[in-house]
Amino acid sequence: MGGEDKLKILRKLFNEIDPAGIFFDENIDEYDSEIKELISLSPDYSNIEELRKLLEGIFARYFEGIKIDHNTLHNLAKEISVELNSSVTMRLNHE
């Protein structure tokens, strides 16, 4: 799966869960910096706890002084894992 595909999937998830409360209907790219950093780290998308820790670090850097709920980041990590792993499985089944 290419970076643009991941960006689209992750953008949808970040905006739906909106961990920092910054998403509004027209600013769909508000989390792109955080998403691109996550993609650049090439995490194991099946490891929810690893994803949560990476997200926690990313949000701490980008939203210094703003407390992001631990459970919200866990839910985001879980959704990322489900979506990206199911997308890879679907693509492999079509090859």
Side-chain angles (χ1 to χ4, degrees):
M1 174 183 303
E4 282 301 311
D5 293 331
K6 284 181 189 171
L7 177 65
K8 288 177 186 175
I9 291 169
L10 293 175
R11 184 184 283 157
K12 177 181 173 286
L13 295 173
F14 273 65
N15 290 341
E16 285 176 358
I17 295 174
D18 194 15
I22 61 171
F23 174 69
F24 298 96
D25 293 331
E26 295 179 17
N27 66 341
I28 64 168
D29 62 351
E30 198 64 35
Y31 287 109
D32 280 9
S33 295
E34 296 81 2
I35 293 167
K36 288 175 182 176
E37 182 172 337
L38 180 64
I39 291 170
S40 76
L41 295 171
S42 300
D44 174 0
Y45 291 108
S46 65
N47 186 329
I48 294 170
E49 188 58 23
E50 177 187 337
L51 280 171
R52 187 202 55 79
K53 287 178 183 178
L54 288 173
L55 289 168
E56 200 168 71
I58 291 168
F59 276 93
R61 282 190 298 285
Y62 283 90
F63 297 96
E64 187 176 336
I66 297 174
K67 176 75 172 125
I68 306 295
D69 181 65
H70 174 85
N71 291 328
T72 301
L73 292 179
H74 179 80
N75 290 338
L76 179 57
K78 187 170 65 175
E79 291 299 319
I80 289 169
S81 181
V82 168
E83 284 294 320
L84 290 182
N85 286 317
S86 68
S87 293
V88 168
T89 302
M90 285 174 42
R91 195 180 83 243
L92 290 174
N93 288 337
H94 288 23
E95 290 180 354

